[in-house]
Amino acid sequence: MSLPDQAAVESHIAAFERELADAKSVRDAQTVRDRYLGRKNSVVAAWMQSIGAAPADQKKNMGRYANELKQAIEARWQAYAERAQATARPAGAVDVTLPGRVPPLGHRHPLTIVRDQLESIFTRMGFAVVEGPEAEDDWHCFDALNMPPEHPARDMQDTLYLATPIKGESGRDDDVRTLLRTHTSSMQIRYMQAHQPPLRIVVPGRVYRRDDLDLTHSPACGQIEALLVGEGISLADLKGTLLAFARQMFSPTVRVRFRPSFFPYTEPSAEIDLSCWQCDGAGCPMCKKSGWIEIGGCGMVHPAVFEAVGYDAEKYTGFAWGIGIERVAILRYQVEDIRLFYEHDLRFLEQFPY
Ligand SMILES: [Zn+2]
């Protein structure tokens, strides 16, 4: 350790200035100051101790140097503290030079993305998008679609009836039963009542069945149905339209297959199968090794439906089909559990950021 003399005073002052300039914060600077001026183990404290042990004739000189160092350091510290005070931010101040915090951006739900894609494909084909009420009367949901009250086909749809009757538009005087619509076909009836052919619409929306929520079922799910009515419309138009849709939605090489089926409101009726675009028909887990994927139902509009809305069934023909929006989303995104779409889990939903 150096003894108090002129050279040591100057060297300590220079070192102190350097260390103070390097201090990253006021707290660092205080540590530097304490190393020089602190009561114990500091440079000045050590010098004071060495003076006590020095010969009497040197004490005075050594004391002068120690005081000089102490005063020099105190003066520099004082100046530093005043500068720090002057430039310190007031409590609670906002540093406007910091980069801003960007709020996380939301995005569409995967089911909305799929619905938008479906609507986009069909509007490009000239279909209008129409929506209708989710609480329906049974005339629009069943009777007008060739399912009178005693028709066994009503049993195929596990309907959620509502207790409160609403005034229907059927012109009937008896009680109108109200229900949560089991398909968006009810809106096709409403549209035909208000418009004359030719017409082409798609009706997307939510439909309800008395299903338990499991891997593949939900009591509420999205559906999109199409209706096209005009003169000379044939099954070939139906198949061509579905083929154009499937090739835009899934794969440019996909093929459409009709399997005969039954729906009260179409005749003939068919299930729509698409050739598996993963294996091109060879068989894979997605198509359950069949090479085909069922996607919905379709058919030519039954004359009884045209009669219900006052169309001339001799003059007009048309086709209709219905597809589940969840079904398309499941195929499109390879999702195995339909419940994932409803659970609002961001770890799932953030995988569809567009
Ligand atoms: Zn396959």
Side-chain angles (χ1 to χ4, degrees):
M1 187 191 71
S2 65
L3 286 173
D5 61 24
Q6 190 60 45
V9 168
E10 282 165 16
S11 135
H12 278 310
I13 290 172
F16 178 75
E17 285 177 340
R18 219 167 34 241
E19 288 175 45
L20 202 59
D22 287 346
K24 296 272 190 296
S25 64
V26 172
R27 187 180 289 266
D28 283 353
Q30 280 168 341
T31 309
V32 172
R33 179 200 61 182
D34 291 346
R35 206 154 59 238
Y36 284 84
L37 288 182
R39 284 167 171 276
K40 289 177 183 170
N41 302 324
S42 69
V43 173
V44 171
W47 274 13
M48 290 304 182
Q49 271 186 343
S50 68
I51 293 167
D57 62 333
Q58 293 179 19
K59 282 189 192 210
K60 193 179 170 192
N61 251 352
M62 289 171 71
R64 195 161 54 83
Y65 289 125
N67 266 333
E68 195 180 319
L69 176 64
K70 190 174 175 221
Q71 283 167 11
I73 300 243
E74 276 173 350
R76 280 157 182 76
W77 172 253
Q78 186 67 28
Y80 170 87
E82 279 168 14
R83 274 200 314 279
Q85 176 98 35
T87 56
R89 278 190 292 139
V94 175
D95 184 349
V96 295
T97 65
L98 287 173
R101 290 193 194 99
V102 180
L105 267 184
H107 57 79
R108 290 174 299 161
H109 189 279
L111 292 177
T112 309
I113 294 171
V114 166
R115 177 177 157 167
D116 287 351
Q117 286 171 338
L118 287 161
E119 288 181 8
S120 162
I121 289 171
F122 285 104
T123 48
R124 285 203 298 276
M125 286 196 244
F127 286 78
V129 178
V130 298
E131 290 180 281
E134 292 180 15
E136 260 298 357
D137 58 73
D138 60 353
W139 188 84
H140 284 93
C141 199
F142 295 129
D143 297 65
L145 287 156
N146 201 25
M147 284 185 277
E150 72 282 2
H151 198 292
R154 283 201 186 195
D155 297 340
M156 286 160 61
Q157 305 192 359
D158 287 325
T159 311
L160 294 159
Y161 284 97
L162 299 169
T164 317
I166 54 170
K167 180 77 189 110
E169 292 168 20
S170 62
R172 283 173 8 193
D173 293 330
D174 55 336
D175 280 351
V176 176
R177 297 186 76 186
T178 60
L179 50 96
L180 292 173
R181 65 182 177 189
T182 56
H183 45 196
T184 59
S185 313
S186 48
M187 187 53 209
Q188 300 182 352
I189 298 298
R190 288 181 179 276
Y191 193 88
M192 284 191 282
Q193 285 180 307
H195 299 82
Q196 285 300 309
L199 59 89
R200 43 188 156 170
I201 55 170
V202 285
V203 191
R206 196 156 271 245
V207 301
Y208 301 86
R209 306 271 173 105
R210 203 182 56 79
D211 270 330
D212 289 329
L213 191 59
D214 63 24
L215 269 179
T216 53
H217 295 87
S218 164
C221 58
Q223 190 183 46
I224 184 164
E225 292 197 351
L227 172 70
L228 186 144
V229 182
E231 290 182 53
I233 304 301
S234 74
L235 197 70
D237 298 314
L238 167 59
K239 197 165 183 181
T241 304
L242 285 168
L243 186 66
F245 149 72
R247 292 192 162 175
Q248 289 179 69
M249 193 75 200
F250 297 109
S251 156
T253 57
V254 77
R255 299 181 305 284
V256 173
R257 179 177 80 173
F258 283 173
R259 257 182 308 118
S261 183
F262 169 78
F263 305 110
Y265 31 90
T266 47
E267 178 60 36
S269 305
E271 307 287 346
I272 312 159
D273 292 342
L274 303 180
S275 61
C276 180
W277 50 94
Q278 292 278 349
C279 63
D280 197 29
C284 73
M286 190 170 91
C287 58
K288 300 196 179 82
K289 304 213 182 300
S290 71
W292 294 93
I293 293 169
E294 188 183 332
I295 186 129
C298 68
M300 300 304 291
V301 180
H302 197 290
V305 175
F306 285 152
E307 280 159 22
V309 296
Y311 283 6
D312 182 352
E314 293 296 321
K315 187 175 176 191
Y316 297 114
T317 49
F319 64 72
W321 51 254
I323 290 172
I325 290 174
E326 277 84 344
R327 177 84 180 125
V328 175
I330 282 169
L331 292 169
R332 183 91 203 222
Y333 297 127
Q334 305 279 298
V335 173
E336 289 181 354
D337 187 343
I338 198 173
R339 292 170 293 196
L340 287 166
F341 289 123
Y342 313 123
E343 284 172 350
H344 312 303
D345 187 336
L346 287 179
R347 289 169 300 178
F348 172 72
L349 296 175
E350 281 174 349
Q351 297 174 49
F352 310 92
Y354 45 83

